[in-house]
Amino acid sequence: MKGLDYLLPKPVTVIPKPGGLRITPAFTVGIEGFQGRRIISSASRFLNRLAEKTGLFLNNNKLVTEPKIEEISLAINCQRHGELILNEDESYTIEVNDHQAVLIALTDLGVLRGLETILQLVTPDQDGYYLPAVQIRDYPRFPWRGLMIDCARHFQPLEVIKRNLDGMAAVKLNVFHWHLTDDQGFRVESTVFPRLHQYGSHGMYYTQKQIKEVIAYADDRGIRVIPEFDLPGHTSSWLVGHPELASAPGPYQIETSFGVHEATINPVREETYAFLDALFHEMTDLFSDEYVHIGGDENSGKQWLANKEIRAFMTAKKIPDTHELQGYFNQRLFAILSKYKKKMIGWDEILSPDLPPKIVIQSWRGRESMIQAAKLGYKSILSHGYYLDLIQPTALHYLNDPLPLDSRLTLEESKNILGGEATMWSEFVSPETIDSRIWPRTAAIAERLWSPVTLCALDDLYQRLERSSLHLEELGLTHEKNYPMMLRRLTAGEEIAPLKNLVDVCEPVKNYERTVQRFYTTFSPLTRVVDAARPDAKVAREFRKLVNQFRSESIQEKDAHQLQAELEKRLILWRDNHAALELIIQHSPILQGIHSLSADLSTVAMIGLEALSFLENQDERKQIDVGEYSKRQKALLQAAKKPRGQVELMIISAIEQIVELVVGKK
């Protein structure tokens, strides 16, 4: 496959041409037209990345700003600076022939997106590297394409944020939603109310200088930064230093456990709004984006109903319930943000007819809230179905379209769907593991939000994601390289192959099951097998695909034999793996929790091998009681499905399908 075949996100139109542009040490980049800071820095980064990608010592690694265009290898033409605002133009065109590549964009944001596409086009062959000849026209489907990172529950250092901003830019995401406050931490320095970060962060917070550094870094990559200050619930960390804001008497402490806590800001005191006015005055000066996220989720209202002052206020104001009281709180907050020329965004609980349609609703509980908001005239974005922490497969995220072709919305209502955000909640991620939860699945979400709906098909997605992962690694992301490192640590330096053979076919438990199976706090270790195991395990997924092909009624006999040989090869590896891994487990106590899972991998592999043998040898099959065979194997496979160490084997469904072939064969 050439670079054209691997593009991700897929451009709107791609017209291949014969030939290509050779990349040699004489490769140069020239800029004509607008030459602002962002375009200069992005083109300079492009040259550095091109040199690193190809290993070429470029003769001129500086930009040509007064070029003779015909002598330039890559000519960039841009008309103006792009504002980091909703609906700014990000379109671009690329034309590559044997002599030159030309990138044209209205704004420098379009140049940024186009340069990422050109880097993906770089193709190796026996003569070196080249850009295939092509005409590309491209622009985003949705204007809001985001990634949220929760830095409250587990603090993420600046280098984690920066490398993920690089990853976002590589796949054309344009909104970084920074979840900065929650029960477990208040993570931004406040000079107006320093007790917030001093008492509410265990010393782990971002200084205002660091915040500005991230905003500038994101700006260079065409990414907006939207801060979230979660209110009125999820506020334990606020109340440690400022208990006067609370709805219930303290004392308060930073929460170390997860789940929904009851701490809630008091919405009936004028002192609350004076405090929030002063805080948001400071924070809206710090964060330049036009939007501020107020959270607004998971407030049970229990503290409000238990407070006599609050109940009396509700009675006097004829507020019937806590949902309406939160609506009152949100109106006051909306007025404060409007005063500082900011727009409000919040989770879908804030949806209320009392708030003007200027707000944005972020749908997390289900698609219906997004549809309802759009019908009522509110702008909305989709996060339901994009929760990365739930360890769902890439395909589930990819097929989750904010605006599917069969949408019930009218054309006018559809315009209210701005796009979507992947969300990385951090209960179970550390700086070491967070990248493996975000990437490469977020690249698939990025394509869903950028590319035309008609181009988003699963057929070649995983193949393109493999290439995308390489691009992301080049930027310093650790989703691939940290995996063997963690396995080495788990084996205490022993040979990792036996452990890898097991973990390659395991995934962490899904949804919120991890909290059910074991109690965690912010101090719990995130260094066990469940943390090394990755979502959408490639080896297990490929095995399931092979079994599906093997089961196909249209498969040719020759292909069936080849597939069976490949299946047997893998099953033999897994059958024999436990003996080697068991020796390692004996010397590594941290692995004790997956001992029986390793044994079960061997068992299910033997079941698969036996089933394949029966399918190949009808005389053997005729000698078994099919009913008893089915009952016995199903019981063993069902037992092997039980998670151990919060991980589960992901090949069992495929083994079940092979057994079903034996049972159903006439």
mmCIF file with all atom_site columns, all heavy atoms in Angstrom, residues 429-449:
data_model
loop_
_atom_site.group_PDB
_atom_site.id
_atom_site.type_symbol
_atom_site.label_atom_id
_atom_site.label_alt_id
_atom_site.label_comp_id
_atom_site.label_asym_id
_atom_site.label_entity_id
_atom_site.label_seq_id
_atom_site.pdbx_PDB_ins_code
_atom_site.Cartn_x
_atom_site.Cartn_y
_atom_site.Cartn_z
_atom_site.occupancy
_atom_site.B_iso_or_equiv
_atom_site.pdbx_formal_charge
_atom_site.auth_seq_id
_atom_site.auth_comp_id
_atom_site.auth_asym_id
_atom_site.auth_atom_id
_atom_site.pdbx_PDB_model_num
ATOM 1   N N   . VAL A 1 429 ? -5.806  5.667  35.003 1.00 0.00 ? 429 VAL A N   1
ATOM 2   C CA  . VAL A 1 429 ? -4.651  5.915  34.132 1.00 0.00 ? 429 VAL A CA  1
ATOM 3   C C   . VAL A 1 429 ? -3.601  6.722  34.868 1.00 0.00 ? 429 VAL A C   1
ATOM 4   O O   . VAL A 1 429 ? -3.910  7.581  35.692 1.00 0.00 ? 429 VAL A O   1
ATOM 5   C CB  . VAL A 1 429 ? -5.031  6.635  32.816 1.00 0.00 ? 429 VAL A CB  1
ATOM 6   C CG1 . VAL A 1 429 ? -5.875  5.740  31.944 1.00 0.00 ? 429 VAL A CG1 1
ATOM 7   C CG2 . VAL A 1 429 ? -5.718  7.970  33.088 1.00 0.00 ? 429 VAL A CG2 1
ATOM 8   N N   . SER A 1 430 ? -2.366  6.438  34.553 1.00 0.00 ? 430 SER A N   1
ATOM 9   C CA  . SER A 1 430 ? -1.214  7.181  35.055 1.00 0.00 ? 430 SER A CA  1
ATOM 10  C C   . SER A 1 430 ? -0.520  7.802  33.849 1.00 0.00 ? 430 SER A C   1
ATOM 11  O O   . SER A 1 430 ? -0.849  7.487  32.698 1.00 0.00 ? 430 SER A O   1
ATOM 12  C CB  . SER A 1 430 ? -0.254  6.222  35.772 1.00 0.00 ? 430 SER A CB  1
ATOM 13  O OG  . SER A 1 430 ? 0.310   5.317  34.826 1.00 0.00 ? 430 SER A OG  1
ATOM 14  N N   . PRO A 1 431 ? 0.463   8.657  34.065 1.00 0.00 ? 431 PRO A N   1
ATOM 15  C CA  . PRO A 1 431 ? 1.224   9.175  32.925 1.00 0.00 ? 431 PRO A CA  1
ATOM 16  C C   . PRO A 1 431 ? 1.847   8.070  32.072 1.00 0.00 ? 431 PRO A C   1
ATOM 17  O O   . PRO A 1 431 ? 2.073   8.256  30.880 1.00 0.00 ? 431 PRO A O   1
ATOM 18  C CB  . PRO A 1 431 ? 2.304   10.040 33.596 1.00 0.00 ? 431 PRO A CB  1
ATOM 19  C CG  . PRO A 1 431 ? 1.658   10.507 34.861 1.00 0.00 ? 431 PRO A CG  1
ATOM 20  C CD  . PRO A 1 431 ? 0.830   9.330  35.324 1.00 0.00 ? 431 PRO A CD  1
ATOM 21  N N   . GLU A 1 432 ? 2.079   6.911  32.686 1.00 0.00 ? 432 GLU A N   1
ATOM 22  C CA  . GLU A 1 432 ? 2.681   5.782  31.969 1.00 0.00 ? 432 GLU A CA  1
ATOM 23  C C   . GLU A 1 432 ? 1.682   5.074  31.065 1.00 0.00 ? 432 GLU A C   1
ATOM 24  O O   . GLU A 1 432 ? 2.049   4.542  30.013 1.00 0.00 ? 432 GLU A O   1
ATOM 25  C CB  . GLU A 1 432 ? 3.247   4.793  32.991 1.00 0.00 ? 432 GLU A CB  1
ATOM 26  C CG  . GLU A 1 432 ? 3.937   3.588  32.383 1.00 0.00 ? 432 GLU A CG  1
ATOM 27  C CD  . GLU A 1 432 ? 4.514   2.678  33.444 1.00 0.00 ? 432 GLU A CD  1
ATOM 28  O OE1 . GLU A 1 432 ? 3.766   2.236  34.339 1.00 0.00 ? 432 GLU A OE1 1
ATOM 29  O OE2 . GLU A 1 432 ? 5.723   2.399  33.375 1.00 0.00 ? 432 GLU A OE2 1
ATOM 30  N N   . THR A 1 433 ? 0.411   5.059  31.451 1.00 0.00 ? 433 THR A N   1
ATOM 31  C CA  . THR A 1 433 ? -0.576  4.253  30.717 1.00 0.00 ? 433 THR A CA  1
ATOM 32  C C   . THR A 1 433 ? -1.592  5.069  29.935 1.00 0.00 ? 433 THR A C   1
ATOM 33  O O   . THR A 1 433 ? -2.324  4.513  29.122 1.00 0.00 ? 433 THR A O   1
ATOM 34  C CB  . THR A 1 433 ? -1.348  3.342  31.688 1.00 0.00 ? 433 THR A CB  1
ATOM 35  O OG1 . THR A 1 433 ? -2.102  4.153  32.619 1.00 0.00 ? 433 THR A OG1 1
ATOM 36  C CG2 . THR A 1 433 ? -0.407  2.434  32.451 1.00 0.00 ? 433 THR A CG2 1
ATOM 37  N N   . ILE A 1 434 ? -1.666  6.367  30.149 1.00 0.00 ? 434 ILE A N   1
ATOM 38  C CA  . ILE A 1 434 ? -2.756  7.145  29.568 1.00 0.00 ? 434 ILE A CA  1
ATOM 39  C C   . ILE A 1 434 ? -2.748  7.108  28.043 1.00 0.00 ? 434 ILE A C   1
ATOM 40  O O   . ILE A 1 434 ? -3.806  7.026  27.406 1.00 0.00 ? 434 ILE A O   1
ATOM 41  C CB  . ILE A 1 434 ? -2.726  8.605  30.091 1.00 0.00 ? 434 ILE A CB  1
ATOM 42  C CG1 . ILE A 1 434 ? -3.994  9.348  29.634 1.00 0.00 ? 434 ILE A CG1 1
ATOM 43  C CG2 . ILE A 1 434 ? -1.457  9.330  29.687 1.00 0.00 ? 434 ILE A CG2 1
ATOM 44  C CD1 . ILE A 1 434 ? -4.171  10.701 30.300 1.00 0.00 ? 434 ILE A CD1 1
ATOM 45  N N   . ASP A 1 435 ? -1.565  7.129  27.434 1.00 0.00 ? 435 ASP A N   1
ATOM 46  C CA  . ASP A 1 435 ? -1.506  7.133  25.971 1.00 0.00 ? 435 ASP A CA  1
ATOM 47  C C   . ASP A 1 435 ? -2.119  5.865  25.380 1.00 0.00 ? 435 ASP A C   1
ATOM 48  O O   . ASP A 1 435 ? -2.755  5.898  24.317 1.00 0.00 ? 435 ASP A O   1
ATOM 49  C CB  . ASP A 1 435 ? -0.069  7.270  25.478 1.00 0.00 ? 435 ASP A CB  1
ATOM 50  C CG  . ASP A 1 435 ? 0.537   8.622  25.821 1.00 0.00 ? 435 ASP A CG  1
ATOM 51  O OD1 . ASP A 1 435 ? -0.141  9.434  26.481 1.00 0.00 ? 435 ASP A OD1 1
ATOM 52  O OD2 . ASP A 1 435 ? 1.706   8.862  25.439 1.00 0.00 ? 435 ASP A OD2 1
ATOM 53  N N   . SER A 1 436 ? -1.937  4.733  26.069 1.00 0.00 ? 436 SER A N   1
ATOM 54  C CA  . SER A 1 436 ? -2.455  3.462  25.541 1.00 0.00 ? 436 SER A CA  1
ATOM 55  C C   . SER A 1 436 ? -3.974  3.409  25.606 1.00 0.00 ? 436 SER A C   1
ATOM 56  O O   . SER A 1 436 ? -4.590  2.599  24.912 1.00 0.00 ? 436 SER A O   1
ATOM 57  C CB  . SER A 1 436 ? -1.868  2.281  26.321 1.00 0.00 ? 436 SER A CB  1
ATOM 58  O OG  . SER A 1 436 ? -2.399  2.209  27.637 1.00 0.00 ? 436 SER A OG  1
ATOM 59  N N   . ARG A 1 437 ? -4.578  4.246  26.437 1.00 0.00 ? 437 ARG A N   1
ATOM 60  C CA  . ARG A 1 437 ? -6.043  4.318  26.496 1.00 0.00 ? 437 ARG A CA  1
ATOM 61  C C   . ARG A 1 437 ? -6.581  5.309  25.476 1.00 0.00 ? 437 ARG A C   1
ATOM 62  O O   . ARG A 1 437 ? -7.705  5.162  25.006 1.00 0.00 ? 437 ARG A O   1
ATOM 63  C CB  . ARG A 1 437 ? -6.494  4.730  27.902 1.00 0.00 ? 437 ARG A CB  1
ATOM 64  C CG  . ARG A 1 437 ? -6.663  3.608  28.916 1.00 0.00 ? 437 ARG A CG  1
ATOM 65  C CD  . ARG A 1 437 ? -5.569  2.583  28.915 1.00 0.00 ? 437 ARG A CD  1
ATOM 66  N NE  . ARG A 1 437 ? -5.788  1.542  29.924 1.00 0.00 ? 437 ARG A NE  1
ATOM 67  C CZ  . ARG A 1 437 ? -5.158  0.393  29.934 1.00 0.00 ? 437 ARG A CZ  1
ATOM 68  N NH1 . ARG A 1 437 ? -4.239  0.125  29.007 1.00 0.00 ? 437 ARG A NH1 1
ATOM 69  N NH2 . ARG A 1 437 ? -5.406  -0.515 30.867 1.00 0.00 ? 437 ARG A NH2 1
ATOM 70  N N   . ILE A 1 438 ? -5.779  6.312  25.145 1.00 0.00 ? 438 ILE A N   1
ATOM 71  C CA  . ILE A 1 438 ? -6.231  7.320  24.181 1.00 0.00 ? 438 ILE A CA  1
ATOM 72  C C   . ILE A 1 438 ? -5.981  6.869  22.744 1.00 0.00 ? 438 ILE A C   1
ATOM 73  O O   . ILE A 1 438 ? -6.850  7.011  21.876 1.00 0.00 ? 438 ILE A O   1
ATOM 74  C CB  . ILE A 1 438 ? -5.522  8.664  24.451 1.00 0.00 ? 438 ILE A CB  1
ATOM 75  C CG1 . ILE A 1 438 ? -5.912  9.198  25.832 1.00 0.00 ? 438 ILE A CG1 1
ATOM 76  C CG2 . ILE A 1 438 ? -5.886  9.685  23.373 1.00 0.00 ? 438 ILE A CG2 1
ATOM 77  C CD1 . ILE A 1 438 ? -5.168  10.469 26.231 1.00 0.00 ? 438 ILE A CD1 1
ATOM 78  N N   . TRP A 1 439 ? -4.804  6.312  22.494 1.00 0.00 ? 439 TRP A N   1
ATOM 79  C CA  . TRP A 1 439 ? -4.399  5.993  21.114 1.00 0.00 ? 439 TRP A CA  1
ATOM 80  C C   . TRP A 1 439 ? -4.253  4.487  20.915 1.00 0.00 ? 439 TRP A C   1
ATOM 81  O O   . TRP A 1 439 ? -3.884  3.794  21.835 1.00 0.00 ? 439 TRP A O   1
ATOM 82  C CB  . TRP A 1 439 ? -3.070  6.685  20.792 1.00 0.00 ? 439 TRP A CB  1
ATOM 83  C CG  . TRP A 1 439 ? -3.111  8.153  21.049 1.00 0.00 ? 439 TRP A CG  1
ATOM 84  C CD1 . TRP A 1 439 ? -2.533  8.815  22.103 1.00 0.00 ? 439 TRP A CD1 1
ATOM 85  C CD2 . TRP A 1 439 ? -3.776  9.157  20.274 1.00 0.00 ? 439 TRP A CD2 1
ATOM 86  N NE1 . TRP A 1 439 ? -2.786  10.157 22.019 1.00 0.00 ? 439 TRP A NE1 1
ATOM 87  C CE2 . TRP A 1 439 ? -3.551  10.400 20.917 1.00 0.00 ? 439 TRP A CE2 1
ATOM 88  C CE3 . TRP A 1 439 ? -4.535  9.123  19.097 1.00 0.00 ? 439 TRP A CE3 1
ATOM 89  C CZ2 . TRP A 1 439 ? -4.071  11.596 20.410 1.00 0.00 ? 439 TRP A CZ2 1
ATOM 90  C CZ3 . TRP A 1 439 ? -5.044  10.317 18.605 1.00 0.00 ? 439 TRP A CZ3 1
ATOM 91  C CH2 . TRP A 1 439 ? -4.816  11.532 19.247 1.00 0.00 ? 439 TRP A CH2 1
ATOM 92  N N   . PRO A 1 440 ? -4.512  3.970  19.717 1.00 0.00 ? 440 PRO A N   1
ATOM 93  C CA  . PRO A 1 440 ? -4.903  4.728  18.522 1.00 0.00 ? 440 PRO A CA  1
ATOM 94  C C   . PRO A 1 440 ? -6.416  4.898  18.345 1.00 0.00 ? 440 PRO A C   1
ATOM 95  O O   . PRO A 1 440 ? -6.855  5.413  17.315 1.00 0.00 ? 440 PRO A O   1
ATOM 96  C CB  . PRO A 1 440 ? -4.336  3.873  17.379 1.00 0.00 ? 440 PRO A CB  1
ATOM 97  C CG  . PRO A 1 440 ? -4.483  2.470  17.887 1.00 0.00 ? 440 PRO A CG  1
ATOM 98  C CD  . PRO A 1 440 ? -4.233  2.555  19.385 1.00 0.00 ? 440 PRO A CD  1
ATOM 99  N N   . ARG A 1 441 ? -7.222  4.473  19.343 1.00 0.00 ? 441 ARG A N   1
ATOM 100 C CA  . ARG A 1 441 ? -8.675  4.536  19.143 1.00 0.00 ? 441 ARG A CA  1
ATOM 101 C C   . ARG A 1 441 ? -9.167  5.947  18.836 1.00 0.00 ? 441 ARG A C   1
ATOM 102 O O   . ARG A 1 441 ? -10.104 6.129  18.037 1.00 0.00 ? 441 ARG A O   1
ATOM 103 C CB  . ARG A 1 441 ? -9.403  3.979  20.372 1.00 0.00 ? 441 ARG A CB  1
ATOM 104 C CG  . ARG A 1 441 ? -9.285  2.472  20.559 1.00 0.00 ? 441 ARG A CG  1
ATOM 105 C CD  . ARG A 1 441 ? -10.040 2.015  21.796 1.00 0.00 ? 441 ARG A CD  1
ATOM 106 N NE  . ARG A 1 441 ? -9.511  2.627  23.006 1.00 0.00 ? 441 ARG A NE  1
ATOM 107 C CZ  . ARG A 1 441 ? -10.189 2.756  24.144 1.00 0.00 ? 441 ARG A CZ  1
ATOM 108 N NH1 . ARG A 1 441 ? -11.445 2.346  24.216 1.00 0.00 ? 441 ARG A NH1 1
ATOM 109 N NH2 . ARG A 1 441 ? -9.628  3.302  25.202 1.00 0.00 ? 441 ARG A NH2 1
ATOM 110 N N   . THR A 1 442 ? -8.534  6.947  19.447 1.00 0.00 ? 442 THR A N   1
ATOM 111 C CA  . THR A 1 442 ? -8.979  8.315  19.213 1.00 0.00 ? 442 THR A CA  1
ATOM 112 C C   . THR A 1 442 ? -8.755  8.742  17.774 1.00 0.00 ? 442 THR A C   1
ATOM 113 O O   . THR A 1 442 ? -9.472  9.614  17.256 1.00 0.00 ? 442 THR A O   1
ATOM 114 C CB  . THR A 1 442 ? -8.279  9.265  20.198 1.00 0.00 ? 442 THR A CB  1
ATOM 115 O OG1 . THR A 1 442 ? -8.701  8.917  21.531 1.00 0.00 ? 442 THR A OG1 1
ATOM 116 C CG2 . THR A 1 442 ? -8.639  10.714 19.945 1.00 0.00 ? 442 THR A CG2 1
ATOM 117 N N   . ALA A 1 443 ? -7.776  8.140  17.110 1.00 0.00 ? 443 ALA A N   1
ATOM 118 C CA  . ALA A 1 443 ? -7.581  8.445  15.690 1.00 0.00 ? 443 ALA A CA  1
ATOM 119 C C   . ALA A 1 443 ? -8.793  8.017  14.874 1.00 0.00 ? 443 ALA A C   1
ATOM 120 O O   . ALA A 1 443 ? -9.176  8.685  13.900 1.00 0.00 ? 443 ALA A O   1
ATOM 121 C CB  . ALA A 1 443 ? -6.317  7.748  15.175 1.00 0.00 ? 443 ALA A CB  1
ATOM 122 N N   . ALA A 1 444 ? -9.408  6.906  15.256 1.00 0.00 ? 444 ALA A N   1
ATOM 123 C CA  . ALA A 1 444 ? -10.630 6.460  14.565 1.00 0.00 ? 444 ALA A CA  1
ATOM 124 C C   . ALA A 1 444 ? -11.773 7.437  14.822 1.00 0.00 ? 444 ALA A C   1
ATOM 125 O O   . ALA A 1 444 ? -12.559 7.753  13.918 1.00 0.00 ? 444 ALA A O   1
ATOM 126 C CB  . ALA A 1 444 ? -11.008 5.058  15.034 1.00 0.00 ? 444 ALA A CB  1
ATOM 127 N N   . ILE A 1 445 ? -11.889 7.926  16.054 1.00 0.00 ? 445 ILE A N   1
ATOM 128 C CA  . ILE A 1 445 ? -12.917 8.925  16.372 1.00 0.00 ? 445 ILE A CA  1
ATOM 129 C C   . ILE A 1 445 ? -12.652 10.206 15.585 1.00 0.00 ? 445 ILE A C   1
ATOM 130 O O   . ILE A 1 445 ? -13.588 10.854 15.083 1.00 0.00 ? 445 ILE A O   1
ATOM 131 C CB  . ILE A 1 445 ? -12.946 9.198  17.890 1.00 0.00 ? 445 ILE A CB  1
ATOM 132 C CG1 . ILE A 1 445 ? -13.334 7.924  18.645 1.00 0.00 ? 445 ILE A CG1 1
ATOM 133 C CG2 . ILE A 1 445 ? -13.906 10.335 18.225 1.00 0.00 ? 445 ILE A CG2 1
ATOM 134 C CD1 . ILE A 1 445 ? -13.175 8.020  20.159 1.00 0.00 ? 445 ILE A CD1 1
ATOM 135 N N   . ALA A 1 446 ? -11.374 10.568 15.463 1.00 0.00 ? 446 ALA A N   1
ATOM 136 C CA  . ALA A 1 446 ? -11.017 11.771 14.708 1.00 0.00 ? 446 ALA A CA  1
ATOM 137 C C   . ALA A 1 446 ? -11.478 11.673 13.260 1.00 0.00 ? 446 ALA A C   1
ATOM 138 O O   . ALA A 1 446 ? -11.965 12.650 12.679 1.00 0.00 ? 446 ALA A O   1
ATOM 139 C CB  . ALA A 1 446 ? -9.506  11.992 14.770 1.00 0.00 ? 446 ALA A CB  1
ATOM 140 N N   . GLU A 1 447 ? -11.322 10.495 12.660 1.00 0.00 ? 447 GLU A N   1
ATOM 141 C CA  . GLU A 1 447 ? -11.798 10.325 11.287 1.00 0.00 ? 447 GLU A CA  1
ATOM 142 C C   . GLU A 1 447 ? -13.309 10.438 11.213 1.00 0.00 ? 447 GLU A C   1
ATOM 143 O O   . GLU A 1 447 ? -13.856 11.044 10.286 1.00 0.00 ? 447 GLU A O   1
ATOM 144 C CB  . GLU A 1 447 ? -11.346 8.980  10.721 1.00 0.00 ? 447 GLU A CB  1
ATOM 145 C CG  . GLU A 1 447 ? -11.885 8.720  9.321  1.00 0.00 ? 447 GLU A CG  1
ATOM 146 C CD  . GLU A 1 447 ? -11.143 7.635  8.578  1.00 0.00 ? 447 GLU A CD  1
ATOM 147 O OE1 . GLU A 1 447 ? -10.037 7.918  8.078  1.00 0.00 ? 447 GLU A OE1 1
ATOM 148 O OE2 . GLU A 1 447 ? -11.654 6.499  8.516  1.00 0.00 ? 447 GLU A OE2 1
ATOM 149 N N   . ARG A 1 448 ? -14.003 9.851  12.181 1.00 0.00 ? 448 ARG A N   1
ATOM 150 C CA  . ARG A 1 448 ? -15.456 9.947  12.208 1.00 0.00 ? 448 ARG A CA  1
ATOM 151 C C   . ARG A 1 448 ? -15.919 11.401 12.237 1.00 0.00 ? 448 ARG A C   1
ATOM 152 O O   . ARG A 1 448 ? -16.939 11.756 11.654 1.00 0.00 ? 448 ARG A O   1
ATOM 153 C CB  . ARG A 1 448 ? -15.989 9.188  13.427 1.00 0.00 ? 448 ARG A CB  1
ATOM 154 C CG  . ARG A 1 448 ? -17.455 9.351  13.715 1.00 0.00 ? 448 ARG A CG  1
ATOM 155 C CD  . ARG A 1 448 ? -18.334 8.969  12.551 1.00 0.00 ? 448 ARG A CD  1
ATOM 156 N NE  . ARG A 1 448 ? -18.274 7.546  12.248 1.00 0.00 ? 448 ARG A NE  1
ATOM 157 C CZ  . ARG A 1 448 ? -18.892 6.996  11.198 1.00 0.00 ? 448 ARG A CZ  1
ATOM 158 N NH1 . ARG A 1 448 ? -19.587 7.743  10.357 1.00 0.00 ? 448 ARG A NH1 1
ATOM 159 N NH2 . ARG A 1 448 ? -18.795 5.704  10.974 1.00 0.00 ? 448 ARG A NH2 1
ATOM 160 N N   . LEU A 1 449 ? -15.148 12.254 12.918 1.00 0.00 ? 449 LEU A N   1
ATOM 161 C CA  . LEU A 1 449 ? -15.547 13.651 13.069 1.00 0.00 ? 449 LEU A CA  1
ATOM 162 C C   . LEU A 1 449 ? -15.053 14.535 11.925 1.00 0.00 ? 449 LEU A C   1
ATOM 163 O O   . LEU A 1 449 ? -15.587 15.622 11.724 1.00 0.00 ? 449 LEU A O   1
ATOM 164 C CB  . LEU A 1 449 ? -15.017 14.196 14.401 1.00 0.00 ? 449 LEU A CB  1
ATOM 165 C CG  . LEU A 1 449 ? -15.554 13.502 15.657 1.00 0.00 ? 449 LEU A CG  1
ATOM 166 C CD1 . LEU A 1 449 ? -14.855 14.045 16.900 1.00 0.00 ? 449 LEU A CD1 1
ATOM 167 C CD2 . LEU A 1 449 ? -17.060 13.661 15.777 1.00 0.00 ? 449 LEU A CD2 1
#
